[in-house]
Amino acid sequence: MMIDKIYCADVKPDMEGQRVKLAGWVYRKREVGGKVFIVLRDSSGIIQTIFKKDSGDAYKLAKKVGIESSVIIEGTVKADPRAPTGAEIQGEKLEVVQDVEFFPITKDASPEFLLDVRHLHLHSPKVAAVMKVKATMMQAAREWLLQDGWYEVFPPILVTGAVEGGSTLFKLKYFDRDAYLSQSAQLYLEAAIFGLEKVWSLTPSFRAEKSRTRRHLTEYWHLELEGAWMDLWDILKVEEELISYMVQRTLELRQKEIETFRKDLTTLKNTEPPFPRVSYDEAIDILQSKGVQIEWGEDMGADEERVLTEEFDRPFFVYGYPKHIKAFYMKEDPEDPRKALAADLLAPEGYGEIIGGSQREDDYDKLVQRIIEEGMDPKNYEWYLDLRKYGSVPHSGFGLGLERLVAWVMKLDHVRWATLFPRTPSRLYP
Ligand code: 4AD
């Protein structure tokens, strides 16, 4: 490291009398009784530093330095039971690395303004808490995937066709041809199971979705799994075990960060498998009994899902959707050809769908028929159809929207807060 510093969170009361060097940003500042109190922030947390008149130059600099200026502070540790970490720093030296006269973000900034200056909003410890939780959730996912024998693969993002319907494809010029940004790695993961059986990937997925809801981004991080020799019920077990591990592990490692937004941890603790399994038919009955205008065969949107989540204090599956409202690749239910072997995982507290998954149609003719029914050209899916001709096996998989999971875990009011630089129809900058 460039400088020999320690982190704010590592300053402990038992270090009383030790001289330390810290580096970070001026989080808060006030002057009382001839002393300057600077709360220093770094990636680990905050600590109070105090500059008295007798610190000479340091005191003068402390008086002048602006909020969010970058600074290096040297001083002596003082135990103080009133301090949040039980300790504070008696400041002796202050180096202003870059002084900030006026930081544009103030307390009453509107959400829209915060997004306009997202590059500066990232100074906020609250934003850092969300990013830490997101990173920890993926760390947990990797731990689980590794111990359960899944191979990570790296599928392409530049693709030639739709997975989730043509209307939300982002089109671009690829030399003299048209190409698209991937909506889902699924079709490529399906190809990869023939050599690896259990595969996963984390990729950005793109949806040219104009819908301005609190759960849609045009670019999001998609965790997808695909497993050979697995039926719908097998893959649901994988989903609940993975989600359970991700949530429990993150609670273990990041409870403090979670609690910056979420006060009640009950639903997160309620993630021991098995999750409730509700059929689409039952879901429609529940909705109708609660006065929602919905008929069998209609898709559930965010509003319907929100009403349904009122019935549960934990994540739950809805399975057995009508085939015609679901994607072409989902396997037809042999016991009821009107339905697909598909299930979504819904998060409680109004959040709704966080995972979409299904058993895949492994019958060549049925798959061709579904592609045609969806108004697509089987010619564009030749390689994908080949997978049903050369050693086809029953298989299933799912996709999890990482921002949606983080939004629920941290109780955020919009998925955009779960992303570093959100992309929505109206936001491509910064
Ligand atoms: O339900 P979706 O569209 O399913 C697929 O893409 C499958 N091909 C995945 C698979 O089986 N491999 O998307 C899966 C998940 C959703 O449940 C949701 O969490 C998230 O991706 N998602 C979005 N997240 C943010 N913004 C959007 N516009 C999203 N669209 C889907």
Side-chain angles (χ1 to χ4, degrees):
M1 182 104 73
M2 241 180 92
I3 54 168
D4 185 20
K5 65 147 185 150
I6 64 167
Y7 287 106
C8 294
D10 292 336
V11 179
K12 298 277 154 55
D14 64 2
M15 293 162 66
E16 168 89 33
Q18 268 187 45
R19 197 181 158 91
V20 294
K21 189 188 259 190
L22 299 153
W25 294 266
V26 175
Y27 184 53
R28 276 191 223 114
K29 204 182 109 165
R30 69 199 154 92
E31 281 187 65
V32 188
K35 294 180 195 161
V36 184
F37 295 81
I38 289 181
V39 177
L40 183 74
R41 168 183 72 76
D42 67 13
S43 61
S44 72
I46 56 175
I47 191 158
Q48 174 151 282
T49 65
I50 304 143
F51 290 89
K52 290 191 193 147
K53 273 208 178 89
D54 61 12
S55 67
D57 280 355
Y59 174 76
K60 281 185 218 141
L61 284 169
K63 266 178 93 78
K64 275 202 321 210
V65 70
I67 296 294
E68 292 305 330
S69 299
S70 42
V71 294
I72 300 172
I73 289 176
E74 281 179 61
T76 305
V77 178
K78 272 184 57 190
D80 181 353
R82 288 165 307 170
T85 53
E88 53 186 28
I89 307 288
Q90 196 65 63
E92 284 148 27
K93 261 173 97 175
L94 173 67
E95 182 187 335
V96 180
V97 179
Q98 206 253 309
D99 191 32
V100 174
E101 229 171 89
F102 173 72
F103 194 68
I105 299 179
T106 50
K107 266 209 163 60
D108 48 3
S110 71
E112 287 305 314
F113 178 73
L114 292 177
L115 293 166
D116 287 344
V117 293
R118 183 68 171 169
H119 54 298
L120 302 179
H121 193 206
L122 300 184
H123 282 232
S124 153
K126 279 191 158 185
V127 180
V130 179
M131 297 308 146
K132 285 180 190 176
V133 164
K134 193 175 186 179
T136 302
M137 297 215 87
M138 266 319 295
Q139 175 197 324
R142 284 172 195 282
E143 286 169 9
W144 188 87
L145 290 160
L146 193 65
Q147 62 82 26
D148 203 57
W150 297 77
Y151 290 101
E152 183 171 10
V153 294
F154 305 90
I157 301 298
L158 289 169
V159 300
T160 54
V163 186
E164 298 300 328
S167 65
T168 61
L169 277 175
F170 274 112
K171 194 168 168 178
L172 56 101
K173 268 272 160 274
Y174 188 76
F175 305 106
D176 55 357
R177 282 186 283 170
D178 287 334
Y180 306 96
L181 293 175
S182 170
Q183 295 171 315
S184 160
Q186 181 191 323
L187 308 191
Y188 298 98
L189 297 189
E190 284 187 62
I193 62 165
F194 291 83
L196 298 165
E197 297 194 34
K198 288 160 71 174
V199 297
W200 70 277
S201 63
L202 177 69
T203 60
S205 275
F206 300 88
R207 306 281 167 107
E209 212 138 19
K210 290 245 170 71
S211 44
R212 287 163 206 274
T213 72
R214 63 184 197 137
R215 60 182 198 171
H216 286 94
L217 295 162
T218 52
E219 177 179 342
Y220 70 96
W221 284 87
H222 204 171
L223 176 63
E224 292 177 274
L225 272 70
E226 195 71 30
W229 313 107
M230 288 187 183
D231 64 15
L232 178 65
W233 311 108
D234 295 326
I235 205 71
L236 296 194
K237 277 199 191 131
V238 172
E239 290 178 32
E240 64 194 0
E241 279 181 30
L242 173 65
I243 290 290
S244 170
Y245 187 83
M246 287 172 79
V247 173
Q248 303 282 336
R249 184 88 170 114
T250 307
L251 258 180
E252 183 185 320
L253 298 172
R254 295 273 175 223
Q255 184 167 333
K256 183 177 69 130
E257 282 82 2
I258 291 173
E259 284 177 336
T260 46
F261 290 89
R262 171 187 272 286
K263 300 300 163 225
D264 181 358
L265 303 177
T266 314
T267 60
L268 303 186
K269 290 185 173 158
N270 286 349
T271 47
E272 286 300 330
F275 298 166
R277 286 147 167 76
V278 185
S279 71
Y280 170 86
D281 297 0
E282 290 169 276
I284 294 295
D285 285 346
I286 294 173
L287 288 172
Q288 286 175 343
S289 74
K290 299 188 92 180
V292 177
Q293 297 292 321
I294 189 167
E295 295 301 325
W296 194 97
E298 287 175 339
D299 203 359
M300 283 187 265
D303 291 342
E304 291 78 20
E305 286 185 3
R306 184 164 30 73
V307 176
L308 203 54
T309 67
E310 289 164 8
E311 303 291 301
F312 299 88
D313 61 355
R314 62 198 67 222
F316 61 99
F317 291 110
V318 178
Y319 68 91
Y321 288 88
K323 201 170 62 180
H324 68 272
I325 58 169
K326 287 291 184 186
F328 72 94
Y329 52 73
M330 294 183 175
K331 189 171 173 64
E332 180 181 291
D333 184 347
E335 279 162 25
D336 185 348
R338 296 174 309 156
K339 294 183 183 165
L341 293 176
D344 287 348
L345 181 68
L346 276 60
E349 300 166 295
Y351 284 88
E353 183 190 337
I354 52 174
I355 290 184
S358 71
Q359 187 164 338
R360 315 309 191 187
E361 185 54 80
D362 44 15
D363 180 278
Y364 181 89
D365 295 324
K366 287 211 165 103
L367 189 55
V368 172
Q369 189 197 326
R370 283 291 289 134
I371 290 175
I372 294 168
E373 276 170 19
E374 290 294 311
M376 302 187 298
D377 185 353
K379 265 219 126 346
N380 292 337
Y381 291 88
E382 250 170 49
W383 72 262
Y384 181 64
L385 287 162
D386 267 356
L387 305 179
R388 276 67 180 164
K389 286 204 279 187
Y390 301 98
S392 181
V393 293
H395 63 288
S396 301
F398 65 90
L400 178 164
L402 194 56
E403 289 78 12
R404 287 201 188 172
L405 177 60
V406 172
W408 164 55
V409 166
M410 297 208 75
K411 236 174 168 205
L412 307 176
D413 66 17
H414 196 298
V415 283
R416 65 192 178 186
W417 304 119
T419 146
L420 208 55
F421 287 93
R423 297 292 179 247
T424 60
S426 58
R427 276 198 192 278
L428 191 58
Y429 179 94

